[in-house]
Amino acid sequence: MNKLLNTPLKAFTLYALLVLAGSIPAYYYIVNRIWLSEIDLHNKFVKRKIETEFSKIVINDTILIQSLSLWNRIEPGIDLRPLAKPVQKSDSLYTVMRANNLHSRHSNRFRGLSSYLIINGKPYHLTVETNVEEADEIISDIAFVTFGFFILLVIGFIVLNQRISAKLWKPFYKTLHQIKAFDLSSQRSIAFEKTTILEFEELNGSLQRLIEKNISSYQEQKEFTENASHELQTPLAIIQSKLDLLLQNEALTGKESEIIEAAHKALARTSRINKNLLLLAKIENQQFVDTEPINLSQLMNDSLDFLSEHIEAKNITIEKQIEQGVFIEGNRILLEILINNLLLNAIRHNVENGKIGVEFSKHRFIVSNTGHNHSLNTANLFKRFSTSSAETPSSGLGLAIVKQICNRYHWQIHYSFDQQLHCFFVAF
């Protein structure tokens, strides 16, 4: 995943590369045009100088022709030859590729001037040619320099991006760090630092209002849950006692007894849900603040002994690997609830003659059990009022309480289905 700050840097780098690469032919065209223009001026200057010098010299034709023949051999860039008759043509410029007389192995580009002169009253043809640097050499040199500057640009982009971003985005990273560390259950708001950057200040203000609103809603919800659960305890207890009195009435018919018994079961389930909701509210309100060193190994064995009747009722085999002498700092009530809920979940959703595996060490706690031959829905497994099986209905709060206790101690809990075993893994 790419960082936000690196995304524009890549775009800028690509844009700079395309611009600099496209500038190479433009540089070549401009340099070549200037070069040819200067050479043309040089060749015309040579022509004027020849005309001027020959106009000052008085020499016969024979000596002139001999001198020109020697000069043409010595000066390869200038060729002056007599003509049979005058030619009425204006000066012309041309470019030609041919072998260099000094370097016959290589072809060179020459810029030439063709002109017609009158010397001693006779027509002559003058050719002035100047060697031009090779095009491929020009392009390679320009490309080398251009890409050198491109590397400097990229290095500069990276350094500037890091330095500017470190200062510019510092308020954003502080806000992000505070948001990551925020815990809604702690009910503590976040005090964002003031910044001179308008966008970050608006972001902090919006987040501040959003967090305060969520904290208020969360607090109201928890208070409602706690109050409702607490207030329901008394009427539920009264209904329970009234149903018990009705069941003791000898005048009840069989049908009436069945109705009362069904109501009694529904009331018992409602009472369990109410107690679990009250427990969740207390955990979220951090009312279990007392901590002490607890021997988890002993606590695990005590829980297995306490649930032995439930285990024997289904003829379940226990396979345990419990490391002895493991202590942890925590609240005894919460840890008992954590262990008992996981074990009860493994018993309730097991099959007759099944098995339960308990593995316990200093860093982890694993409860596995046989059961349904398919994986559970992990998306809703730890949510409230979510049941994993219609065959073994429950309040749907047991695993939610386990998850809340793990969050309380910053432990990790995971579920997996492997080799026909449902496994709950708690990492301390």
Side-chain angles (χ1 to χ4, degrees), residues 262-293:
H264 191 279
K265 291 181 180 180
L267 181 63
R269 184 172 184 272
T270 304
S271 180
R272 287 197 305 271
I273 292 175
N274 185 66
K275 289 180 180 180
N276 286 334
L277 285 174
L278 185 59
L279 175 61
L280 277 170
K282 289 181 178 180
I283 295 173
E284 292 169 348
N285 286 330
Q286 300 185 4
Q287 294 181 0
F288 297 93
V289 294
D290 297 333
T291 60
E292 59 179 308

PDB file of all heavy atoms in Angstrom, residues 262-293:
ATOM      1  N   ALA A 262     -43.043 -23.922  31.164  1.00  0.00           N
ATOM      2  CA  ALA A 262     -42.494 -23.222  29.988  1.00  0.00           C
ATOM      3  C   ALA A 262     -42.205 -21.766  30.330  1.00  0.00           C
ATOM      4  O   ALA A 262     -41.165 -21.206  29.932  1.00  0.00           O
ATOM      5  CB  ALA A 262     -43.475 -23.311  28.819  1.00  0.00           C
ATOM      6  N   ALA A 263     -43.148 -21.154  31.076  1.00  0.00           N
ATOM      7  CA  ALA A 263     -42.915 -19.766  31.495  1.00  0.00           C
ATOM      8  C   ALA A 263     -41.711 -19.680  32.423  1.00  0.00           C
ATOM      9  O   ALA A 263     -40.938 -18.705  32.390  1.00  0.00           O
ATOM     10  CB  ALA A 263     -44.169 -19.216  32.180  1.00  0.00           C
ATOM     11  N   HIS A 264     -41.553 -20.678  33.258  1.00  0.00           N
ATOM     12  CA  HIS A 264     -40.414 -20.711  34.188  1.00  0.00           C
ATOM     13  C   HIS A 264     -39.092 -20.773  33.427  1.00  0.00           C
ATOM     14  O   HIS A 264     -38.126 -20.073  33.768  1.00  0.00           O
ATOM     15  CB  HIS A 264     -40.572 -21.930  35.116  1.00  0.00           C
ATOM     16  CG  HIS A 264     -39.614 -21.926  36.257  1.00  0.00           C
ATOM     17  ND1 HIS A 264     -38.309 -22.339  36.131  1.00  0.00           N
ATOM     18  CD2 HIS A 264     -39.773 -21.536  37.550  1.00  0.00           C
ATOM     19  CE1 HIS A 264     -37.698 -22.231  37.279  1.00  0.00           C
ATOM     20  NE2 HIS A 264     -38.568 -21.746  38.176  1.00  0.00           N
ATOM     21  N   LYS A 265     -39.012 -21.582  32.365  1.00  0.00           N
ATOM     22  CA  LYS A 265     -37.788 -21.689  31.566  1.00  0.00           C
ATOM     23  C   LYS A 265     -37.481 -20.368  30.836  1.00  0.00           C
ATOM     24  O   LYS A 265     -36.330 -19.924  30.776  1.00  0.00           O
ATOM     25  CB  LYS A 265     -37.910 -22.828  30.562  1.00  0.00           C
ATOM     26  CG  LYS A 265     -37.914 -24.202  31.196  1.00  0.00           C
ATOM     27  CD  LYS A 265     -38.024 -25.292  30.127  1.00  0.00           C
ATOM     28  CE  LYS A 265     -38.020 -26.678  30.758  1.00  0.00           C
ATOM     29  NZ  LYS A 265     -38.139 -27.755  29.726  1.00  0.00           N
ATOM     30  N   ALA A 266     -38.538 -19.764  30.263  1.00  0.00           N
ATOM     31  CA  ALA A 266     -38.345 -18.492  29.561  1.00  0.00           C
ATOM     32  C   ALA A 266     -37.874 -17.407  30.524  1.00  0.00           C
ATOM     33  O   ALA A 266     -37.014 -16.576  30.196  1.00  0.00           O
ATOM     34  CB  ALA A 266     -39.647 -18.071  28.877  1.00  0.00           C
ATOM     35  N   LEU A 267     -38.443 -17.423  31.746  1.00  0.00           N
ATOM     36  CA  LEU A 267     -38.044 -16.436  32.741  1.00  0.00           C
ATOM     37  C   LEU A 267     -36.598 -16.655  33.173  1.00  0.00           C
ATOM     38  O   LEU A 267     -35.851 -15.692  33.386  1.00  0.00           O
ATOM     39  CB  LEU A 267     -38.987 -16.523  33.943  1.00  0.00           C
ATOM     40  CG  LEU A 267     -38.716 -15.524  35.076  1.00  0.00           C
ATOM     41  CD1 LEU A 267     -38.901 -14.090  34.561  1.00  0.00           C
ATOM     42  CD2 LEU A 267     -39.625 -15.794  36.265  1.00  0.00           C
ATOM     43  N   ALA A 268     -36.199 -17.917  33.315  1.00  0.00           N
ATOM     44  CA  ALA A 268     -34.813 -18.214  33.701  1.00  0.00           C
ATOM     45  C   ALA A 268     -33.840 -17.718  32.627  1.00  0.00           C
ATOM     46  O   ALA A 268     -32.775 -17.160  32.939  1.00  0.00           O
ATOM     47  CB  ALA A 268     -34.649 -19.708  33.925  1.00  0.00           C
ATOM     48  N   ARG A 269     -34.214 -17.908  31.362  1.00  0.00           N
ATOM     49  CA  ARG A 269     -33.350 -17.422  30.269  1.00  0.00           C
ATOM     50  C   ARG A 269     -33.299 -15.902  30.283  1.00  0.00           C
ATOM     51  O   ARG A 269     -32.237 -15.293  30.091  1.00  0.00           O
ATOM     52  CB  ARG A 269     -33.884 -17.921  28.931  1.00  0.00           C
ATOM     53  CG  ARG A 269     -32.997 -17.561  27.741  1.00  0.00           C
ATOM     54  CD  ARG A 269     -33.483 -18.255  26.474  1.00  0.00           C
ATOM     55  NE  ARG A 269     -32.576 -17.976  25.367  1.00  0.00           N
ATOM     56  CZ  ARG A 269     -32.691 -16.922  24.558  1.00  0.00           C
ATOM     57  NH1 ARG A 269     -33.672 -16.055  24.737  1.00  0.00           N
ATOM     58  NH2 ARG A 269     -31.819 -16.735  23.578  1.00  0.00           N
ATOM     59  N   THR A 270     -34.440 -15.257  30.516  1.00  0.00           N
ATOM     60  CA  THR A 270     -34.469 -13.798  30.592  1.00  0.00           C
ATOM     61  C   THR A 270     -33.601 -13.298  31.741  1.00  0.00           C
ATOM     62  O   THR A 270     -32.890 -12.293  31.626  1.00  0.00           O
ATOM     63  CB  THR A 270     -35.910 -13.303  30.777  1.00  0.00           C
ATOM     64  OG1 THR A 270     -36.728 -13.799  29.711  1.00  0.00           O
ATOM     65  CG2 THR A 270     -35.967 -11.789  30.794  1.00  0.00           C
ATOM     66  N   SER A 271     -33.644 -14.003  32.853  1.00  0.00           N
ATOM     67  CA  SER A 271     -32.839 -13.613  34.010  1.00  0.00           C
ATOM     68  C   SER A 271     -31.342 -13.729  33.700  1.00  0.00           C
ATOM     69  O   SER A 271     -30.551 -12.873  34.094  1.00  0.00           O
ATOM     70  CB  SER A 271     -33.212 -14.482  35.212  1.00  0.00           C
ATOM     71  OG  SER A 271     -32.450 -14.116  36.342  1.00  0.00           O
ATOM     72  N   ARG A 272     -30.978 -14.806  32.984  1.00  0.00           N
ATOM     73  CA  ARG A 272     -29.566 -14.970  32.616  1.00  0.00           C
ATOM     74  C   ARG A 272     -29.115 -13.846  31.677  1.00  0.00           C
ATOM     75  O   ARG A 272     -28.013 -13.303  31.816  1.00  0.00           O
ATOM     76  CB  ARG A 272     -29.350 -16.331  31.948  1.00  0.00           C
ATOM     77  CG  ARG A 272     -29.406 -17.509  32.892  1.00  0.00           C
ATOM     78  CD  ARG A 272     -28.796 -18.743  32.256  1.00  0.00           C
ATOM     79  NE  ARG A 272     -29.418 -19.079  30.977  1.00  0.00           N
ATOM     80  CZ  ARG A 272     -30.478 -19.865  30.855  1.00  0.00           C
ATOM     81  NH1 ARG A 272     -31.056 -20.381  31.944  1.00  0.00           N
ATOM     82  NH2 ARG A 272     -30.995 -20.142  29.674  1.00  0.00           N
ATOM     83  N   ILE A 273     -29.977 -13.524  30.715  1.00  0.00           N
ATOM     84  CA  ILE A 273     -29.638 -12.434  29.790  1.00  0.00           C
ATOM     85  C   ILE A 273     -29.465 -11.125  30.547  1.00  0.00           C
ATOM     86  O   ILE A 273     -28.526 -10.362  30.307  1.00  0.00           O
ATOM     87  CB  ILE A 273     -30.733 -12.286  28.707  1.00  0.00           C
ATOM     88  CG1 ILE A 273     -30.730 -13.514  27.787  1.00  0.00           C
ATOM     89  CG2 ILE A 273     -30.515 -11.017  27.890  1.00  0.00           C
ATOM     90  CD1 ILE A 273     -31.862 -13.513  26.772  1.00  0.00           C
ATOM     91  N   ASN A 274     -30.366 -10.892  31.489  1.00  0.00           N
ATOM     92  CA  ASN A 274     -30.300  -9.653  32.263  1.00  0.00           C
ATOM     93  C   ASN A 274     -29.002  -9.590  33.079  1.00  0.00           C
ATOM     94  O   ASN A 274     -28.342  -8.542  33.145  1.00  0.00           O
ATOM     95  CB  ASN A 274     -31.515  -9.566  33.182  1.00  0.00           C
ATOM     96  CG  ASN A 274     -31.586  -8.251  33.929  1.00  0.00           C
ATOM     97  OD1 ASN A 274     -31.771  -7.201  33.325  1.00  0.00           O
ATOM     98  ND2 ASN A 274     -31.416  -8.301  35.241  1.00  0.00           N
ATOM     99  N   LYS A 275     -28.634 -10.682  33.692  1.00  0.00           N
ATOM    100  CA  LYS A 275     -27.399 -10.711  34.480  1.00  0.00           C
ATOM    101  C   LYS A 275     -26.168 -10.520  33.587  1.00  0.00           C
ATOM    102  O   LYS A 275     -25.213  -9.823  33.963  1.00  0.00           O
ATOM    103  CB  LYS A 275     -27.295 -12.038  35.233  1.00  0.00           C
ATOM    104  CG  LYS A 275     -28.296 -12.173  36.372  1.00  0.00           C
ATOM    105  CD  LYS A 275     -28.148 -13.514  37.079  1.00  0.00           C
ATOM    106  CE  LYS A 275     -29.156 -13.638  38.217  1.00  0.00           C
ATOM    107  NZ  LYS A 275     -29.042 -14.939  38.923  1.00  0.00           N
ATOM    108  N   ASN A 276     -26.186 -11.128  32.414  1.00  0.00           N
ATOM    109  CA  ASN A 276     -25.053 -10.982  31.508  1.00  0.00           C
ATOM    110  C   ASN A 276     -24.930  -9.552  30.985  1.00  0.00           C
ATOM    111  O   ASN A 276     -23.823  -9.022  30.843  1.00  0.00           O
ATOM    112  CB  ASN A 276     -25.188 -11.948  30.327  1.00  0.00           C
ATOM    113  CG  ASN A 276     -24.900 -13.383  30.725  1.00  0.00           C
ATOM    114  OD1 ASN A 276     -24.176 -13.628  31.678  1.00  0.00           O
ATOM    115  ND2 ASN A 276     -25.485 -14.328  29.994  1.00  0.00           N
ATOM    116  N   LEU A 277     -26.084  -8.944  30.690  1.00  0.00           N
ATOM    117  CA  LEU A 277     -26.047  -7.538  30.251  1.00  0.00           C
ATOM    118  C   LEU A 277     -25.509  -6.639  31.361  1.00  0.00           C
ATOM    119  O   LEU A 277     -24.738  -5.705  31.111  1.00  0.00           O
ATOM    120  CB  LEU A 277     -27.448  -7.081  29.845  1.00  0.00           C
ATOM    121  CG  LEU A 277     -27.961  -7.613  28.495  1.00  0.00           C
ATOM    122  CD1 LEU A 277     -29.412  -7.201  28.298  1.00  0.00           C
ATOM    123  CD2 LEU A 277     -27.103  -7.096  27.350  1.00  0.00           C
ATOM    124  N   LEU A 278     -25.907  -6.910  32.569  1.00  0.00           N
ATOM    125  CA  LEU A 278     -25.393  -6.134  33.696  1.00  0.00           C
ATOM    126  C   LEU A 278     -23.891  -6.358  33.864  1.00  0.00           C
ATOM    127  O   LEU A 278     -23.140  -5.412  34.155  1.00  0.00           O
ATOM    128  CB  LEU A 278     -26.140  -6.542  34.969  1.00  0.00           C
ATOM    129  CG  LEU A 278     -25.809  -5.754  36.243  1.00  0.00           C
ATOM    130  CD1 LEU A 278     -26.096  -4.269  36.036  1.00  0.00           C
ATOM    131  CD2 LEU A 278     -26.597  -6.290  37.430  1.00  0.00           C
ATOM    132  N   LEU A 279     -23.451  -7.587  33.655  1.00  0.00           N
ATOM    133  CA  LEU A 279     -22.019  -7.886  33.739  1.00  0.00           C
ATOM    134  C   LEU A 279     -21.245  -7.153  32.644  1.00  0.00           C
ATOM    135  O   LEU A 279     -20.168  -6.581  32.907  1.00  0.00           O
ATOM    136  CB  LEU A 279     -21.812  -9.397  33.614  1.00  0.00           C
ATOM    137  CG  LEU A 279     -20.352  -9.873  33.567  1.00  0.00           C
ATOM    138  CD1 LEU A 279     -19.625  -9.495  34.841  1.00  0.00           C
ATOM    139  CD2 LEU A 279     -20.294 -11.377  33.324  1.00  0.00           C
ATOM    140  N   LEU A 280     -21.782  -7.151  31.416  1.00  0.00           N
ATOM    141  CA  LEU A 280     -21.119  -6.434  30.328  1.00  0.00           C
ATOM    142  C   LEU A 280     -21.009  -4.943  30.626  1.00  0.00           C
ATOM    143  O   LEU A 280     -19.972  -4.312  30.376  1.00  0.00           O
ATOM    144  CB  LEU A 280     -21.894  -6.640  29.020  1.00  0.00           C
ATOM    145  CG  LEU A 280     -21.610  -7.931  28.249  1.00  0.00           C
ATOM    146  CD1 LEU A 280     -22.617  -8.095  27.118  1.00  0.00           C
ATOM    147  CD2 LEU A 280     -20.202  -7.941  27.702  1.00  0.00           C
ATOM    148  N   ALA A 281     -22.075  -4.382  31.171  1.00  0.00           N
ATOM    149  CA  ALA A 281     -22.048  -2.958  31.507  1.00  0.00           C
ATOM    150  C   ALA A 281     -20.994  -2.671  32.564  1.00  0.00           C
ATOM    151  O   ALA A 281     -20.277  -1.667  32.492  1.00  0.00           O
ATOM    152  CB  ALA A 281     -23.428  -2.516  31.992  1.00  0.00           C
ATOM    153  N   LYS A 282     -20.862  -3.557  33.546  1.00  0.00           N
ATOM    154  CA  LYS A 282     -19.853  -3.359  34.586  1.00  0.00           C
ATOM    155  C   LYS A 282     -18.443  -3.482  34.016  1.00  0.00           C
ATOM    156  O   LYS A 282     -17.535  -2.731  34.403  1.00  0.00           O
ATOM    157  CB  LYS A 282     -20.056  -4.381  35.704  1.00  0.00           C
ATOM    158  CG  LYS A 282     -21.297  -4.124  36.550  1.00  0.00           C
ATOM    159  CD  LYS A 282     -21.424  -5.165  37.663  1.00  0.00           C
ATOM    160  CE  LYS A 282     -22.642  -4.873  38.543  1.00  0.00           C
ATOM    161  NZ  LYS A 282     -22.773  -5.875  39.627  1.00  0.00           N
ATOM    162  N   ILE A 283     -18.241  -4.428  33.103  1.00  0.00           N
ATOM    163  CA  ILE A 283     -16.918  -4.573  32.482  1.00  0.00           C
ATOM    164  C   ILE A 283     -16.569  -3.328  31.682  1.00  0.00           C
ATOM    165  O   ILE A 283     -15.457  -2.796  31.751  1.00  0.00           O
ATOM    166  CB  ILE A 283     -16.869  -5.826  31.589  1.00  0.00           C
ATOM    167  CG1 ILE A 283     -17.035  -7.100  32.436  1.00  0.00           C
ATOM    168  CG2 ILE A 283     -15.546  -5.884  30.824  1.00  0.00           C
ATOM    169  CD1 ILE A 283     -17.157  -8.361  31.612  1.00  0.00           C
ATOM    170  N   GLU A 284     -17.530  -2.844  30.887  1.00  0.00           N
ATOM    171  CA  GLU A 284     -17.285  -1.656  30.069  1.00  0.00           C
ATOM    172  C   GLU A 284     -17.082  -0.418  30.923  1.00  0.00           C
ATOM    173  O   GLU A 284     -16.337   0.497  30.550  1.00  0.00           O
ATOM    174  CB  GLU A 284     -18.456  -1.454  29.097  1.00  0.00           C
ATOM    175  CG  GLU A 284     -18.539  -2.536  28.038  1.00  0.00           C
ATOM    176  CD  GLU A 284     -19.835  -2.472  27.248  1.00  0.00           C
ATOM    177  OE1 GLU A 284     -20.750  -1.747  27.675  1.00  0.00           O
ATOM    178  OE2 GLU A 284     -19.931  -3.161  26.210  1.00  0.00           O
ATOM    179  N   ASN A 285     -17.731  -0.366  32.096  1.00  0.00           N
ATOM    180  CA  ASN A 285     -17.548   0.755  33.011  1.00  0.00           C
ATOM    181  C   ASN A 285     -16.294   0.612  33.861  1.00  0.00           C
ATOM    182  O   ASN A 285     -16.023   1.473  34.706  1.00  0.00           O
ATOM    183  CB  ASN A 285     -18.762   0.890  33.932  1.00  0.00           C
ATOM    184  CG  ASN A 285     -19.964   1.455  33.207  1.00  0.00           C
ATOM    185  OD1 ASN A 285     -19.836   2.228  32.276  1.00  0.00           O
ATOM    186  ND2 ASN A 285     -21.158   1.064  33.628  1.00  0.00           N
ATOM    187  N   GLN A 286     -15.545  -0.490  33.617  1.00  0.00           N
ATOM    188  CA  GLN A 286     -14.290  -0.745  34.326  1.00  0.00           C
ATOM    189  C   GLN A 286     -14.502  -0.761  35.845  1.00  0.00           C
ATOM    190  O   GLN A 286     -13.735  -0.174  36.619  1.00  0.00           O
ATOM    191  CB  GLN A 286     -13.232   0.299  33.956  1.00  0.00           C
ATOM    192  CG  GLN A 286     -12.895   0.312  32.478  1.00  0.00           C
ATOM    193  CD  GLN A 286     -11.761   1.262  32.127  1.00  0.00           C
ATOM    194  OE1 GLN A 286     -11.158   1.881  32.996  1.00  0.00           O
ATOM    195  NE2 GLN A 286     -11.455   1.367  30.837  1.00  0.00           N
ATOM    196  N   GLN A 287     -15.559  -1.455  36.247  1.00  0.00           N
ATOM    197  CA  GLN A 287     -15.831  -1.580  37.673  1.00  0.00           C
ATOM    198  C   GLN A 287     -15.010  -2.691  38.323  1.00  0.00           C
ATOM    199  O   GLN A 287     -14.905  -2.742  39.543  1.00  0.00           O
ATOM    200  CB  GLN A 287     -17.327  -1.830  37.888  1.00  0.00           C
ATOM    201  CG  GLN A 287     -18.194  -0.637  37.487  1.00  0.00           C
ATOM    202  CD  GLN A 287     -19.663  -0.875  37.723  1.00  0.00           C
ATOM    203  OE1 GLN A 287     -20.056  -1.940  38.191  1.00  0.00           O
ATOM    204  NE2 GLN A 287     -20.493   0.112  37.419  1.00  0.00           N
ATOM    205  N   PHE A 288     -14.423  -3.572  37.481  1.00  0.00           N
ATOM    206  CA  PHE A 288     -13.577  -4.642  38.022  1.00  0.00           C
ATOM    207  C   PHE A 288     -12.117  -4.165  37.961  1.00  0.00           C
ATOM    208  O   PHE A 288     -11.325  -4.620  37.137  1.00  0.00           O
ATOM    209  CB  PHE A 288     -13.759  -5.927  37.217  1.00  0.00           C
ATOM    210  CG  PHE A 288     -15.156  -6.498  37.282  1.00  0.00           C
ATOM    211  CD1 PHE A 288     -16.093  -6.157  36.321  1.00  0.00           C
ATOM    212  CD2 PHE A 288     -15.539  -7.350  38.298  1.00  0.00           C
ATOM    213  CE1 PHE A 288     -17.377  -6.667  36.360  1.00  0.00           C
ATOM    214  CE2 PHE A 288     -16.817  -7.866  38.350  1.00  0.00           C
ATOM    215  CZ  PHE A 288     -17.743  -7.526  37.383  1.00  0.00           C
ATOM    216  N   VAL A 289     -11.793  -3.229  38.811  1.00  0.00           N
ATOM    217  CA  VAL A 289     -10.462  -2.617  38.757  1.00  0.00           C
ATOM    218  C   VAL A 289      -9.464  -3.322  39.675  1.00  0.00           C
ATOM    219  O   VAL A 289      -8.249  -3.166  39.526  1.00  0.00           O
ATOM    220  CB  VAL A 289     -10.545  -1.119  39.129  1.00  0.00           C
ATOM    221  CG1 VAL A 289     -11.320  -0.364  38.075  1.00  0.00           C
ATOM    222  CG2 VAL A 289     -11.190  -0.932  40.505  1.00  0.00           C
ATOM    223  N   ASP A 290      -9.947  -4.079  40.641  1.00  0.00           N
ATOM    224  CA  ASP A 290      -9.034  -4.752  41.574  1.00  0.00           C
ATOM    225  C   ASP A 290      -8.261  -5.845  40.847  1.00  0.00           C
ATOM    226  O   ASP A 290      -8.844  -6.660  40.119  1.00  0.00           O
ATOM    227  CB  ASP A 290      -9.815  -5.370  42.742  1.00  0.00           C
ATOM    228  CG  ASP A 290     -10.537  -4.311  43.569  1.00  0.00           C
ATOM    229  OD1 ASP A 290     -10.047  -3.162  43.576  1.00  0.00           O
ATOM    230  OD2 ASP A 290     -11.576  -4.629  44.168  1.00  0.00           O
ATOM    231  N   THR A 291      -6.967  -5.852  41.049  1.00  0.00           N
ATOM    232  CA  THR A 291      -6.112  -6.866  40.422  1.00  0.00           C
ATOM    233  C   THR A 291      -5.241  -7.527  41.485  1.00  0.00           C
ATOM    234  O   THR A 291      -4.945  -6.933  42.529  1.00  0.00           O
ATOM    235  CB  THR A 291      -5.213  -6.248  39.335  1.00  0.00           C
ATOM    236  OG1 THR A 291      -4.377  -5.240  39.923  1.00  0.00           O
ATOM    237  CG2 THR A 291      -6.030  -5.626  38.221  1.00  0.00           C
ATOM    238  N   GLU A 292      -4.816  -8.739  41.181  1.00  0.00           N
ATOM    239  CA  GLU A 292      -3.950  -9.503  42.071  1.00  0.00           C
ATOM    240  C   GLU A 292      -3.262 -10.586  41.258  1.00  0.00           C
ATOM    241  O   GLU A 292      -3.729 -10.953  40.162  1.00  0.00           O
ATOM    242  CB  GLU A 292      -4.779 -10.124  43.192  1.00  0.00           C
ATOM    243  CG  GLU A 292      -5.879 -11.057  42.678  1.00  0.00           C
ATOM    244  CD  GLU A 292      -6.678 -11.685  43.798  1.00  0.00           C
ATOM    245  OE1 GLU A 292      -6.036 -12.263  44.708  1.00  0.00           O
ATOM    246  OE2 GLU A 292      -7.917 -11.594  43.776  1.00  0.00           O
ATOM    247  N   PRO A 293      -2.155 -11.102  41.724  1.00  0.00           N
ATOM    248  CA  PRO A 293      -1.526 -12.233  41.032  1.00  0.00           C
ATOM    249  C   PRO A 293      -2.413 -13.475  41.159  1.00  0.00           C
ATOM    250  O   PRO A 293      -2.775 -13.882  42.262  1.00  0.00           O
ATOM    251  CB  PRO A 293      -0.191 -12.415  41.773  1.00  0.00           C
ATOM    252  CG  PRO A 293       0.020 -11.139  42.520  1.00  0.00           C
ATOM    253  CD  PRO A 293      -1.346 -10.616  42.847  1.00  0.00           C
TER     254      PRO A 293
END
